[in-house]
Amino acid sequence: MKWKPRNLRELGQMVVGDVPHFHRRSSKYITEFFEDCDLEFVHRGETRPTWAAERIEEILAMPHASATAMPDAFVRMIQRLLDRGEVVDDDAERSLALTALNITLAREGWEAFYDDHGLAQIKHIATNTIAQMANPHRPFTPSELERRDQLLAFLGRCSEDDLIEDVLLPLFRQLGFHRITAAGHKDKALEYGKDVWMKYTLPTLHVLYFGIQAKKGKLDSSGVSTSNVAEIHNQITMMLGHEIFDPELSRRVLVDHAFIVAGGEITKQARNWIGNKLDASKRSQVMFMDRDDILNLFIVNNLPLPKGALPAASPWDLDDDVPF
């Protein structure tokens, strides 16, 4: 990841504190700053901002998952730089520091922000993708557990269209997919086994196409019509065999992978049944995402809950004065 020298110099000045709203650091404290970021950089008296800019250039050259992701070390550096525990110039919320940093980051297509927990994050402006891959298997905070329970209740009562429009589309956009197109249930004749199709660009700039077959409830291997995996199998086979038109390329392409997404549980029997029915080549093209996957990914990516998942406002919460 190559950044312009001007932007590297400005970041280096922020790290050493040669600009307003950032702590001024001497040689010892510059070394401690990078130690806090789990980096083994030691400042030995070199020109402070120049040396810091060179180290930042090394950090940006570290491996990262994709063009819309940042090296973990860079994310840690931004979080350390915007630590709200270090108040400078009466900037208690670090809003002035955040504004100054974002002027530099915006030139490279990035933006820093504070999440709900007051921790600094950085996102790719064009795709709105958070730079660091969120871990959906980490422990949740009490506030995250509360939001997860609200979303769980919503998944239990929402329609299939609500699942797609209010949950899946925002989630996959946040995960870096683009050109997300929902077929919708008004146009079933042209759906060809898929509810949604979308694209994902690899770091090599090759493009993969994905289709989604979404079901509201539990998927099992029983004979119940809407949750019967035999129906899902037919739709997946149709999806993988039917071309879609990509308006950006003005040509028809095949779907590379298929997501089977359920708002409820996908039983082990259902997964095995579909795996046994598909041949070896198609088996590797199919991926499963059930209720727990949706909940965990939605929460760790800090997406706003759908309106239908929010608790109803109490009449006593209104700001109007009591008329007596």
Side-chain angles (χ1 to χ4, degrees), residues 188-293:
K188 276 289 189 180
L190 299 177
E191 192 177 303
Y192 298 110
K194 62 186 176 302
D195 294 313
V196 178
W197 76 267
M198 56 195 181
K199 299 163 63 171
Y200 188 83
T201 303
L202 298 174
T204 59
L205 300 185
H206 293 86
V207 175
L208 295 179
Y209 293 86
F210 292 79
I212 298 178
Q213 177 55 229
K215 291 298 177 187
K216 173 185 177 295
K218 177 179 178 181
L219 284 182
D220 56 36
S221 53
S222 69
V224 182
S225 61
T226 57
S227 61
N228 186 4
V229 291
E231 178 191 352
I232 304 296
H233 170 256
N234 292 335
Q235 292 170 328
I236 290 296
T237 303
M238 188 186 305
M239 181 196 306
L240 294 175
H242 186 269
E243 293 179 331
I244 55 177
F245 180 75
D246 185 347
E248 293 179 350
L249 303 178
S250 297
R251 64 183 175 89
R252 303 186 73 82
V253 295
L254 284 171
V255 172
D256 296 295
H257 294 282
F259 274 110
I260 298 176
V261 181
E265 178 191 3
I266 303 178
T267 65
K268 185 179 295 185
Q269 292 84 353
R271 296 171 191 253
N272 290 338
W273 192 92
I274 291 179
N276 291 333
K277 285 292 183 181
L278 296 171
D279 59 43
S281 61
K282 288 184 178 179
R283 195 177 304 144
S284 62
Q285 294 178 271
V286 176
M287 293 170 283
F288 296 92
M289 182 180 290
D290 63 9
R291 177 183 57 204
D292 286 340
D293 296 323

Side-chain angles (χ1 to χ4, degrees), residues 318-324:
L318 300 177
D319 294 332
D320 297 339
D321 292 335
V322 180
F324 54 79

Side-chain angles (χ1 to χ4, degrees), residues 6-270:
R6 172 191 178 185
N7 299 325
L8 293 173
R9 287 195 302 269
E10 290 183 2
L11 279 179
Q13 290 169 349
M14 294 175 193
V15 168
V16 302
D18 279 1
V19 291
H21 317 307
F22 294 90
H23 269 290
R24 182 172 177 80
R25 294 182 172 89
S26 61
S27 180
K28 172 188 175 182
Y29 295 106
I30 294 172
T31 299
E32 289 182 355
F33 174 90
F34 285 110
E35 284 178 352
D36 291 342
C37 302
D38 296 330
L39 295 166
E40 298 179 353
F41 297 146
V42 179
H43 186 260
R44 304 185 187 279
E46 300 91 341
T47 305
R48 293 159 50 256
T50 303
W51 181 88
E54 291 171 352
R55 302 293 78 75
I56 294 170
E57 187 174 21
E58 290 181 28
I59 293 171
L60 287 169
M62 291 178 178
H64 52 282
S66 69
T68 58
M70 275 287 186
D72 288 346
F74 187 85
V75 177
R76 292 196 297 271
M77 187 191 76
I78 295 297
Q79 291 173 342
R80 179 67 181 84
L81 198 59
L82 292 175
D83 185 354
R84 278 183 166 166
E86 295 188 348
V87 179
V88 183
D89 301 330
D90 296 325
D91 183 18
E93 295 298 318
R94 302 301 308 275
S95 58
L96 297 176
L98 179 65
T99 300
L101 176 62
N102 276 334
I103 291 173
T104 300
L105 294 178
R107 298 193 198 108
E108 300 288 349
W110 297 88
E111 180 185 0
F113 66 98
Y114 286 107
D115 62 19
D116 292 344
H117 312 293
L119 185 66
Q121 303 288 354
I122 181 172
K123 66 180 179 180
H124 190 245
I125 294 173
T127 60
N128 200 37
T129 305
I130 296 178
Q132 192 174 37
M133 183 63 71
N135 178 12
H137 306 296
R138 64 168 173 78
F140 291 143
T141 64
S143 61
E144 287 176 330
L145 288 173
E146 181 181 355
R147 294 178 68 242
R148 191 181 188 276
D149 290 341
Q150 290 172 343
L151 183 58
L152 176 60
F154 175 76
L155 293 181
R157 63 177 181 268
C158 71
S159 67
E160 200 165 293
D161 285 338
D162 291 337
L163 171 65
I164 294 171
E165 295 289 339
D166 296 339
V167 178
L168 297 183
L169 297 191
L171 175 60
F172 281 105
R173 287 192 186 101
Q174 182 66 37
L175 294 176
F177 292 85
H178 54 103
R179 191 46 112 164
I180 303 176
T181 305
H185 285 70
K186 296 178 181 178
D187 202 12
K188 276 289 189 180
L190 299 177
E191 192 177 303
Y192 298 110
K194 62 186 176 302
D195 294 313
V196 178
W197 76 267
M198 56 195 181
K199 299 163 63 171
Y200 188 83
T201 303
L202 298 174
T204 59
L205 300 185
H206 293 86
V207 175
L208 295 179
Y209 293 86
F210 292 79
I212 298 178
Q213 177 55 229
K215 291 298 177 187
K216 173 185 177 295
K218 177 179 178 181
L219 284 182
D220 56 36
S221 53
S222 69
V224 182
S225 61
T226 57
S227 61
N228 186 4
V229 291
E231 178 191 352
I232 304 296
H233 170 256
N234 292 335
Q235 292 170 328
I236 290 296
T237 303
M238 188 186 305
M239 181 196 306
L240 294 175
H242 186 269
E243 293 179 331
I244 55 177
F245 180 75
D246 185 347
E248 293 179 350
L249 303 178
S250 297
R251 64 183 175 89
R252 303 186 73 82
V253 295
L254 284 171
V255 172
D256 296 295
H257 294 282
F259 274 110
I260 298 176
V261 181
E265 178 191 3
I266 303 178
T267 65
K268 185 179 295 185
Q269 292 84 353

